[in-house]
């Protein structure tokens, strides 16, 4: 990996507070300017996105969110091709919250028999859990989510030949973890991009041997774009690459674009199928550099194949 990627991995994995994100943006823009780019920060009420290139003229957008999340006691377990298991796991996460509320209400009934305290206690507990998920203590380990996506963009941008740079736009989205606010603001500002431009979004691509692309419906119908992706992103070094043309979902910034494709790295087990684990916890420490190299090389091939 480049010197810049190693610095991010070693010193800048936490990008959660305003100050941390501002420091990262300033450093990132400085490094990209030194490499010959003209990055800019697009500010909105809810986010500050770093945009590198002209999205209105680019033939493709390569994107990733740079913000990071609060540390949680249990991982966000994602099964993009097994909706039933995904829903059941989300319910399992919520179950302890209901148990805590129930215990508190029983205690109030026994020791403080005032009915008006019960709804207040429930709201307070739910509010605390929501605050913890959104603004709780920062996760110090974000190798996969989403330092891996950030490194993919940085590695690709630094390796991209100057003669190909006008064909592509790189966007580092803010506040994906709080509700995809950065990509929503970007899509609102760039309406034609939202409708017509392929957006390849790298999110959690560092931990797993199966690199999978989850294109939205409009992109699936664009045969030329799909063929170009398949021809560009190739298996290597024991890593497989799959373009999921059937059922599949990936809950990330790609959802805000008609021709978006979410890219992630997955593992596999019988019954549950392909899955992602460890993210949003202190165990998010795995980043396979072979994955980053595969995606960088694929992005370079994809860009080289675009028309001027």
């Amino acid at each position: 990996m480049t010197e810049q990627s190693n610095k991010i991995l070693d010193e800048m994995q936490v990008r959660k507070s305003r100050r941390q994100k501002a420091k990262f943006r300033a450093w990132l823009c400085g490094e990209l300017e030194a490499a010959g780019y003209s990055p800019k920060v697009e500010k909105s009420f809810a986010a500050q996105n770093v945009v590198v290139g002209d999205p209105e003229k680019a033939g493709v957008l390569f994107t990733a969110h740079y913000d990071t999340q609060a540390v949680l006691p249990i991982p966000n377990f994602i099964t993009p091709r097994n909706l039933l298991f995904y829903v059941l796991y989300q319910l399992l996460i919520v179950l302890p919250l209901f148990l805590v509320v129930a215990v508190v209400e029983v205690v109030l009934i026994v020791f403080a028999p005032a009915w008006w305290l019960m709804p207040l206690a429930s709201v307070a507990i739910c509010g605390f859990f929501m605050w913890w998920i959104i603004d709780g203590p920062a996760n110090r380990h974000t190798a996969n989510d989403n330092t891996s996506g950030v490194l993919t963009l940085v590695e690709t941008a630094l390796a991209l030949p100057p003669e190909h740079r006008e064909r592509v736009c790189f966007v580092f989205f803010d506040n994906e973890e709080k509700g995809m606010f950065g990509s929503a603001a970007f899509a609102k500002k760039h309406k034609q991009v939202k409708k017509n431009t392929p957006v390849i979004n790298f999110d959690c691509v560092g931990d797993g041997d199966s690199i999978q692309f989850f294109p939205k419906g409009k992109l699936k119908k664009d045969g030329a774009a799909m063929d170009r992706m398949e021809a560009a992103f190739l298996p290597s070094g024991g890593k497989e690459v799959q373009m999921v043309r059937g059922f599949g979902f990936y809950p990330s910034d790609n959802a805000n674009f008609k021709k978006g494709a979410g890219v992630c790295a997955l593992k596999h087990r019988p019954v549950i199928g392909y899955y992602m684990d460890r993210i949003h916890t202190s165990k998010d420490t795995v980043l396979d550099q072979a994955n980053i190299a595969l995606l960088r090389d694929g992005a370079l091939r994809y860009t080289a194949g675009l028309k001027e």
Side-chain angles (χ1 to χ4, degrees):
M1 292 195 300
T2 61
E3 175 184 343
Q4 291 85 349
S5 291
N6 284 321
K7 184 176 180 63
I8 295 171
L9 190 60
D10 293 340
E11 302 178 21
M12 297 184 178
Q13 281 199 42
V14 183
R15 304 176 297 275
K16 189 173 188 298
S17 70
R18 289 184 180 181
R19 179 176 296 181
Q20 290 162 347
K21 289 194 284 188
K23 179 180 178 180
F24 174 73
R25 287 193 302 269
W27 174 85
L28 176 65
C29 289
E31 294 298 315
L32 292 172
E33 286 171 357
Y37 289 96
S38 299
K40 60 181 180 180
V41 178
E42 285 190 354
K43 299 181 180 180
S44 67
F45 174 75
Q48 297 192 44
N49 301 320
V50 179
V51 181
V52 188
D54 187 343
E56 308 299 337
K57 296 180 180 179
V60 64
L61 270 66
F62 294 125
T63 66
H65 75 87
Y66 70 88
D67 63 305
T68 56
Q69 68 292 127
V71 63
L72 300 178
I74 54 177
N76 185 9
F77 197 88
I78 300 176
T79 53
R81 299 171 73 170
N82 188 334
L83 181 60
L84 176 61
F85 192 92
Y86 178 76
V87 171
L88 290 175
Y89 186 80
Q90 301 308 310
L91 292 175
L92 183 64
I93 292 176
V94 175
L95 182 60
L97 174 59
F98 285 105
L99 293 176
V100 170
V101 171
V103 169
V104 170
E105 291 188 348
V106 169
V107 171
L108 289 175
I109 291 172
V110 174
F111 296 101
W115 65 269
W116 56 270
L117 285 175
M118 295 173 61
L120 290 178
S122 299
V123 170
I125 293 169
C126 291
F128 173 78
F129 274 90
M130 290 300 296
W131 168 83
W132 187 283
I133 292 172
I134 296 174
D135 277 325
N139 191 3
R140 313 300 299 180
H141 303 283
T142 66
N144 193 28
D145 187 13
N146 187 32
T147 295
S148 64
V150 170
L151 297 193
T152 300
L153 295 196
V154 169
E155 292 283 308
T156 303
L158 294 178
L160 190 65
E163 61 269 22
H164 292 172
R165 292 183 177 181
E166 291 187 359
R167 305 177 185 182
V168 62
C169 179
F170 300 95
V171 186
F172 298 79
F173 290 127
D174 189 10
N175 281 342
E176 188 270 351
E177 297 290 353
K178 293 185 177 181
M180 298 187 286
F181 292 140
S183 57
F186 182 90
K188 183 177 181 180
K189 181 174 182 177
H190 303 280
K191 292 182 173 60
Q192 291 304 312
V193 173
K194 175 181 179 177
K195 295 178 182 178
N196 301 316
T197 306
V199 175
I200 302 178
N201 182 60
F202 303 103
D203 190 355
C204 301
V205 295
D207 185 11
D209 291 335
S210 181
I211 308 297
Q212 301 198 10
F213 288 65
F214 292 87
K216 291 188 69 177
K218 189 173 182 179
L219 183 56
K220 289 180 182 179
K221 295 176 182 178
D222 187 339
M226 290 294 293
D227 291 344
R228 188 179 298 118
M229 276 199 295
E230 276 193 311
F233 293 91
L234 304 175
S236 68
K239 308 288 184 176
E240 68 171 1
V241 177
Q242 294 190 40
M243 301 289 164
V244 182
R245 296 176 183 263
F247 172 78
F249 65 96
Y250 193 62
S252 187
D253 289 308
N254 42 281
N256 282 315
F257 301 92
K258 298 293 185 180
K259 298 180 76 172
V263 186
C264 61
L266 300 171
K267 306 168 189 177
H268 187 272
R269 283 184 182 176
V271 182
I272 65 173
Y274 291 100
Y275 70 95
M276 177 188 302
D277 61 354
R278 295 192 180 123
I279 60 173
H280 293 196
T281 71
S282 59
K283 294 182 179 180
D284 184 3
T285 59
V286 178
L287 191 147
D288 192 333
Q289 295 185 24
N291 290 12
I292 309 303
L294 183 156
L295 292 169
R296 176 203 62 205
D297 294 345
L300 294 174
R301 282 191 291 265
Y302 186 98
T303 306
L306 293 173
K307 296 180 180 179
E308 296 288 353

